[in-house]
Amino acid sequence: MLPHGTGGNRTPIDVVVLTHDQRHVRRKLLHMQHDDVVMLDLKEPVQLAHGDLLLTETGELVEVIAAEEELYEVTPKTPLHLIELAWHLGNRHLQAQIEEGRILILRDHVIRDMLTGLGATVRDVSEPFHPARGAYHGSGHGHDHGHHNHNHG
């Protein structure tokens, strides 16, 4: 795998379009845009980013493209309100793409109701999703989401 921008002037032979969940891989059969299939088999799980390049056994490149996904765009009233909304989403362990002036999350009508109840403007959008990587994204941590006698209330 080559990070975005490190392929030199070589042109990829094909692209693979993946959602954010599909971009977290270790071993996976990838269906490329032009109907070819390639087996990705890495030593450890990675989070592929939009624009990353996969190097085939024959030395050719395949570009990773982030797929458009059905999301909510959450717009706050103020910068402080954005922080408060992000806190509520994080408290629920929701994946979020946090930007200056907005937050993107996967669609969930219950969360939409919560956010509008908190004063946010929420609208449907369809675009690539790049959620922030959590504090435990590194290899070897073994973090699970079992709730060990603590509450989030």
Side-chain angles (χ1 to χ4, degrees), residues 12-63:
I13 61 163
D14 210 337
V15 300
V16 60
V17 181
L18 303 169
T19 65
H20 78 282
D21 280 339
Q22 293 169 333
R23 291 192 312 267
H24 186 259
V25 295
R26 189 196 74 74
R27 189 176 202 294
K28 184 178 183 82
L29 200 59
L30 299 175
H31 298 272
M32 295 183 284
Q33 193 172 45
H34 295 104
D35 295 326
D36 284 333
V37 177
V38 66
M39 171 55 80
L40 181 67
D41 190 6
L42 304 171
K43 291 180 184 177
E44 58 186 46
V46 298
Q47 182 69 42
L48 298 172
H50 179 82
D52 282 351
L53 298 168
L54 303 174
L55 185 63
T56 67
E57 288 180 349
T58 60
E60 297 173 304
L61 299 175
V62 174
E63 184 176 9

